Amino acid sequence: MPQDNDNIEDIDDGMRTISDEEWDNPKPLEGKALQTHQENVMNVRKLVISFAIFKVGFLVLVAAILWKFFGHGAHH
């Protein structure tokens, strides 16, 4: 187990590990960090909505193609 240096251990890629206590009770975001977080949340929401719209459109297209070929029943 590595030594604890104020619950922060530097890792080569610039990331850091945090203690269980810090993970369970994070400090509130403030200033630039809060603004960046809010922008990230909005970007993810936009992506999710765009994907949902694409998915619905794709499923409608598949349904229309299936209806065209198979929706009129066996008797023409």
Side-chain angles (χ1 to χ4, degrees), residues 17-75:
T17 58
I18 62 174
S19 66
D20 289 342
E21 173 63 26
E22 189 178 353
W23 178 263
D24 292 338
N25 300 299
K27 297 177 197 148
L29 293 174
E30 298 173 335
K32 183 67 175 157
L34 176 60
Q35 181 182 352
T36 300
H37 173 70
Q38 289 171 334
E39 290 169 1
N40 289 340
V41 168
M42 291 307 296
N43 289 335
V44 169
R45 285 181 182 169
K46 289 177 189 172
L47 282 173
V48 168
I49 291 168
S50 297
F51 179 75
I53 291 169
F54 167 78
K55 185 176 177 181
V56 168
F58 180 76
L59 291 175
V60 168
L61 179 66
V62 169
I65 291 169
L66 291 174
W67 177 258
K68 177 171 174 43
F69 289 105
F70 304 108
H72 301 297
H75 340 278

